[in-house]
Amino acid sequence: MTKEQSTGVNTPDTTYNGWPNYETWLVGLWLDNDEQTYRHWQSEASKLSLWELARVLKTSHADTSYDLTGAVGIWSDLLSAALKRVDWDYVAKHLKQN
């Protein structure tokens, strides 16, 4: 039985390339594809617990989005909204597995 059959609601699939959503996949892609960034986060993953790693990832990315845009407005709002959708626990698990 599909989700639609069991609930009677047509719920869109929000997963992306096996990740929870596009935003989470994109963060994982960037963390994996830039060598310096990859080495940094692999080092952090080896030192921190899963919970700590997820917290540090979120703090260093989502909580500093204002600093990236330098202003309050549509761009900072859009960036903030996208970063709020990132599943930081999933990203941390991904880093721990590599």
Side-chain angles (χ1 to χ4, degrees), residues 75-88:
W75 302 118
S76 62
D77 287 349
L78 288 169
L79 178 58
S80 178
L83 287 170
K84 285 178 183 175
R85 291 187 38 83
V86 174
D87 184 337
W88 297 105

Side-chain angles (χ1 to χ4, degrees), residues 3 11 16 20 27 33 49 52 57-58 62 68 71 82-83 91:
K3 186 188 298 186
T11 307
Y16 192 84
V27 168
N33 286 328
S49 71
E52 291 169 322
L57 281 162
K58 181 180 184 293
L68 297 174
L83 287 170
V91 175

Side-chain angles (χ1 to χ4, degrees), residues 5-79:
Q5 290 171 330
S6 65
T7 62
V9 177
N10 186 7
T11 307
D13 181 10
T14 58
T15 61
Y16 192 84
N17 286 341
W19 291 69
N21 57 40
Y22 175 77
E23 294 82 359
T24 304
W25 169 81
L26 191 58
V27 168
L29 182 69
W30 278 100
L31 295 182
D32 283 348
N33 286 328
D34 177 73
E35 187 174 348
Q36 184 177 1
T37 301
Y38 178 79
R39 288 183 184 192
H40 168 74
W41 288 110
Q42 284 301 304
S43 174
E44 292 296 304
S46 69
K47 295 184 270 185
L48 301 173
S49 71
L50 186 61
W51 181 85
E52 291 169 322
L53 181 59
R55 183 178 49 82
V56 170
L57 281 162
K58 181 180 184 293
T59 300
S60 66
H61 290 89
D63 292 350
T64 59
S65 64
Y66 173 78
D67 296 336
L68 297 174
T69 62
V72 175
I74 190 169
W75 302 118
S76 62
D77 287 349
L78 288 169
L79 178 58

